[in-house]
Amino acid sequence: MMSLQQAYAAAAERWQALETSRVPIFFVGAATCGRAAGAGETLERLRAEIQAQKLEAHVIETGCLGPCSLEPLMIVHKPDAPRVCFGKVGPREAVEILQRHVLGDDPCSEWALGAITPGSVNGIGAFADHPMMRGQVRRILANCGIIDPESIDHYLAREGYRGFLRALEIGADQVVEAVKRAGLRGRGGAGFPTWRKWDVCRGTPADQRYLICNADEGDPGAFMNRSLIEGDPHAILEGMLIAAFALGASKGYVYCRAEYPLAIARLKVAIGQMRELGVLGQNIQDSGFSFDLQIKKGAGAFVCGEETALIASIEGRRGMPQPRPPFPAVSGLWGKPTIIQNVETLANLRLILRHGPEWYAQYGTEASKGTRTFALAGKVKRTGLIEVPLGTTLRQIVEEIGGGGSDGKPIKAVQTGGPSGGCIAAEKFDLPVDYESLAQAGSIMGSGGMIVLDEETCAVDLAKYFISFTQNESCGKCPPCRVGTRAMLYLLERIVDGKGKPEDIQRLEDLAVTVARGSLCGLGQTAPNPVLTTLRYFRQEYQDHVEKKQCAAFVCRPLIQHRIDAERCPGCTACLKVCPAEAITGKRGEAHVINEDLCSQCGSCLSVCPPTYAAVYRVSGELTRHEEIQQKRKPGAAAEHSPEAQ
């Protein structure tokens, strides 16, 4: 077996050869987001073209670089030129970039997002200055999209496992002290100080301790943990080594939902490489420290994100939470002291050990140190995986990094923390994103999901969606959660159906407080948050639904009537042909009419009415919404072809 130092030397040599390669290299983002956007087809076409051209070139699949809305992403290494990142690279664009940029002198600036390495390419700026990247501090995600996640050489060449070696050098006590001085708090939701949880586990006498990586990311719209594993699996595994060493744990599990097949596949490859390198198993690097781990696939139950339910799942029991105390740090997996850490928490450890706690604490606030990854999604122009210092305001994230509303519509709110979090109104967007500020606003940090909502999102419908989710995911063990969330969902359905009564709003609020206070685990305790925060910031919408039978966002179908503007309607029959209820009548060339007694409010007529007429309009309560008439595009006119324009 090659020694670790020999492995570092060999990795550095190979990395240097890659950096100074005299042959072109194509780094294609092939994480789940890239593949969903068509990276597989791009790779296939690119490889075929390289073969057809008989070109000597390398193609490397990487993880997610961040701007998921611009996938597929491709970084091109052209000898003697800065590496350039291109966005929205489909099969055709990949071939053109190869022919025009790599083999020619055309930089293909219409797809270029920026130069990754220093230097300029015909006026193409730095990728770091791209609007989505500016304002980010990428420490946890530094390797994602840059290295081959299935190459341990790439990880070692970028100082991989140096943090673990430092931990072996200073000893377990100093590791805990470093984590304490860094101010690291758990990234899974509650933000509990990591060192304090470790202290409890270390202080509990035991012949066996366990460490579990919680990779059961279940929030709708969240993909931070999946992307991090897919892009840099060794970062998490190195964090597990450091944590296990500090805890005195000899056995570990990565609990990852089976619906993350690529993440699991890359973890398996990485674990095999760790064994070959000699950083996993008995007496690691002659330190006397032994540690082994395995992957446990979860079935995708949201409740298994809760620690005791997760432990039950690993033990082969039904994933249901247990009353606490005792806490898992005292009595967890098979009754032994067990620490469960989130993926991102573990990925931070190597940085703290490698660079020191003071370096780590350069960013963040007094009580929330470091950086944080977020999955930015929803009605925002630039969606993707981002990393910002804790304390960054919501406005900076949504408007500067995210670029504001996806359709230019005003932003209404942002949902942080997934279904356990809360809906924060746009008027609060100067709020710094840290654990305390979000809690004061009625939300939580959660695992990092951040869903942006615009004016076409109904606050009541949103609350109904999240309560429906948590009600379906409730394990049913405790009555406040099992019965309470069902009762809340019943009231919400009644309100959006236009059958709400004035007293329903107060009943809903009272129920939410009862469920939050009385539930056994975090799922039930936080499930009412979307209701409580929408009531807090958008109470008028609830009242309008009940009193005026009005939905200002025109989302709740029972509260909407579709009508046809006789002055705009040319009688093209498009709406008449698609109406499933046969509620529309009228002759060709004459204005059509909707029979409201027959209309099901499905909206088919609105969707097919040509925008040049925009004759179908909607009424809800006292509100009327006409669609904007759009002029016909002249033949041959095309939209600006650039990734940002798209």
Side-chain angles (χ1 to χ4, degrees):
M1 180 189 298
M2 184 186 295
S3 73
L4 194 53
Q5 292 311 315
Q6 288 173 322
Y8 273 118
E13 187 176 334
R14 290 170 188 144
W15 183 259
Q16 181 64 20
L18 201 68
E19 294 275 87
T20 58
S21 173
R22 300 307 303 169
V23 301
I25 306 172
F26 300 86
F27 300 83
V28 180
T32 296
C33 53
R35 291 172 188 232
E41 291 79 4
T42 299
L43 281 163
E44 184 179 357
R45 185 69 183 90
L46 179 64
R47 286 174 171 139
E49 185 66 16
I50 290 171
Q51 188 173 15
Q53 297 264 359
K54 297 181 178 177
L55 180 68
E56 186 181 358
H58 301 303
V59 177
I60 295 175
E61 298 184 23
T62 66
C64 174
L65 190 61
C68 300
S69 58
L70 300 175
E71 294 277 8
L73 295 165
M74 183 167 76
I75 297 172
V76 177
H77 169 94
K78 179 180 177 180
D80 299 323
R83 290 181 180 177
V84 177
C85 179
F86 296 91
K88 289 190 176 290
V89 182
R92 179 181 68 82
E93 289 80 8
V95 172
E96 286 208 38
I97 290 169
L98 187 154
Q99 294 175 340
R100 289 165 49 193
H101 173 57
V102 176
L103 300 180
D105 294 326
D106 184 342
C108 296
S109 55
E110 65 268 46
W111 303 305
L113 302 179
I116 295 288
T117 52
S120 63
V121 183
N122 291 354
I124 296 173
F127 182 66
D129 289 333
H130 185 278
M132 186 167 185
M133 307 309 290
R134 199 186 309 133
Q136 291 196 50
V137 176
R138 296 176 76 84
R139 289 179 159 184
I140 302 163
L141 302 175
N143 285 338
C144 291
I146 302 297
I147 67 170
D148 178 354
E150 297 192 5
S151 168
I152 196 169
D153 278 347
H154 287 194
Y155 188 68
L156 291 176
R158 291 172 65 88
E159 303 300 313
Y161 290 103
R162 294 288 189 190
F164 171 59
L165 294 179
R166 176 64 179 161
L168 293 181
E169 182 183 335
I170 64 176
D173 291 344
Q174 288 304 309
V175 171
V176 178
E177 180 62 23
V179 173
K180 180 180 179 180
R181 283 165 49 202
L184 178 64
R185 299 171 66 171
R187 300 303 200 230
F192 196 75
T194 302
W195 71 272
R196 190 167 293 165
K197 192 157 71 169
W198 288 10
D199 226 26
V200 174
C201 182
R202 282 159 50 92
T204 303
D207 58 353
Q208 174 72 61
R209 295 186 179 87
Y210 291 102
L211 172 68
I212 300 172
C213 169
N214 183 356
D216 196 52
E217 186 176 54
D219 293 2
F223 47 86
M224 310 77 53
N225 293 175
R226 186 200 70 209
S227 297
L228 184 53
I229 296 172
E230 290 177 350
D232 195 9
H234 283 288
I236 293 92
L237 299 176
E238 184 182 357
M240 291 193 73
L241 280 175
I242 295 168
F245 174 69
L247 295 166
S250 60
K251 180 71 178 174
Y253 291 87
V254 180
Y255 188 85
C256 186
R257 50 184 49 213
E259 60 201 66
Y260 282 2
L262 182 61
I264 291 172
R266 288 186 170 164
L267 280 171
K268 286 180 178 176
V269 170
I271 290 171
Q273 292 169 338
M274 291 174 73
R275 294 192 197 286
E276 291 180 10
L277 189 65
V279 293
L280 197 64
Q282 297 295 315
N283 191 24
I284 298 171
Q285 297 297 307
D286 293 325
S287 65
F289 167 59
S290 299
F291 182 67
D292 209 341
L293 60 85
Q294 67 183 79
I295 298 169
K296 171 68 177 178
K297 294 181 186 177
F302 183 65
V303 72
C304 284
E306 198 278 338
E307 290 188 343
T308 57
L310 187 156
I311 287 171
S313 178
I314 292 178
E315 291 178 344
R317 297 181 288 116
R318 181 178 173 185
M320 299 178 83
Q322 300 295 318
R324 296 184 290 181
F327 290 93
V330 175
S331 177
L333 190 62
W334 290 298
K336 303 294 184 181
T338 302
I339 289 295
I340 301 171
Q341 299 283 195
N342 163 270
V343 165
E344 188 175 328
T345 310
L346 292 166
N348 271 296
L349 294 175
R350 77 199 200 283
L351 301 175
I352 295 170
L353 269 294
R354 191 190 304 162
H355 300 287
E358 288 74 22
W359 173 89
Y360 181 82
Q362 285 175 340
Y363 290 104
T365 65
E366 184 61 29
S368 303
K369 302 292 187 186
T371 60
R372 186 72 217 266
T373 67
F374 292 99
L376 188 60
K379 302 290 187 65
V380 65
K381 185 177 181 182
R382 294 185 284 266
T383 59
L385 180 68
I386 67 168
E387 180 180 353
V388 294
L390 283 165
T392 302
T393 66
L394 282 169
R395 189 176 307 285
Q396 288 174 288
I397 293 174
V398 174
E399 297 182 0
E400 296 177 15
I401 295 174
S406 54
D407 297 323
K409 295 185 173 68
I411 298 296
K412 179 176 183 175
V414 63
Q415 175 81 16
T416 67
S420 299
C423 182
I424 301 174
E427 66 199 51
K428 298 287 185 183
F429 274 13
D430 289 323
L431 194 76
V433 178
D434 58 48
Y435 294 96
E436 285 71 26
S437 299
L438 290 179
Q440 288 174 6
S443 186
I444 62 171
M445 184 84 71
S447 58
M450 192 171 282
I451 300 175
V452 180
L453 315 167
D454 67 13
E455 63 180 9
E456 294 194 342
T457 302
C458 170
V460 187
D461 183 68
L462 178 79
K464 190 193 78 167
Y465 167 78
F466 281 117
I467 284 295
S468 174
F469 176 85
T470 47
Q471 204 279 319
N472 284 330
E473 294 291 335
S474 172
C475 73
K477 184 169 184 174
C478 73
C481 178
R482 182 182 68 244
V483 181
T485 55
R486 185 176 300 168
M488 290 170 67
L489 180 59
Y490 168 76
L491 289 173
L492 286 164
E493 288 176 338
R494 196 157 76 177
I495 293 172
V496 300
D497 284 345
K499 301 172 183 174
K501 301 176 181 176
E503 61 270 25
D504 284 348
I505 298 175
Q506 190 57 52
R507 289 180 63 195
L508 182 64
E509 194 165 22
D510 292 343
L511 262 172
V513 173
T514 301
V515 171
R517 290 177 178 171
S519 294
L520 175 62
C521 78
L523 187 152
Q525 292 162 5
T526 57
N529 281 350
V531 171
L532 290 171
T533 50
T534 50
L535 279 169
R536 180 173 175 177
Y537 297 114
F538 303 103
R539 196 178 196 92
Q540 187 62 48
E541 287 194 30
Y542 281 85
Q543 292 172 343
D544 287 346
H545 277 64
V546 172
E547 297 167 7
K548 300 180 181 178
K549 308 303 177 190
Q550 172 179 297
C551 175
F554 287 86
V555 169
C556 300
R557 285 170 54 181
L559 303 182
I560 301 170
Q561 296 86 47
H562 288 79
R563 295 174 186 169
I564 295 175
D565 187 331
E567 294 186 2
R568 290 186 177 189
C569 179
C572 71
T573 73
C575 58
L576 186 149
K577 291 175 182 174
V578 300
C579 179
E582 297 183 347
I584 301 176
T585 56
K587 296 179 180 178
R588 176 174 287 279
E590 296 179 0
H592 293 357
V593 176
I594 297 176
N595 184 332
E596 293 187 13
D597 290 334
L598 297 177
C599 180
S600 63
Q601 310 302 337
C602 69
S604 297
C605 53
L606 180 67
S607 66
V608 300
C609 183
T612 49
Y613 306 134
V616 178
Y617 66 99
R618 290 169 290 175
V619 176
S620 183
E622 299 173 352
L623 303 176
T624 300
R625 178 175 291 183
H626 287 270
E627 304 304 313
E628 186 177 350
I629 295 176
Q630 298 178 16
Q631 300 299 318
K632 279 186 177 179
R633 182 178 297 171
K634 293 180 181 179
E640 184 182 355
H641 186 63
S642 72
E644 281 295 282
Q646 295 172 47

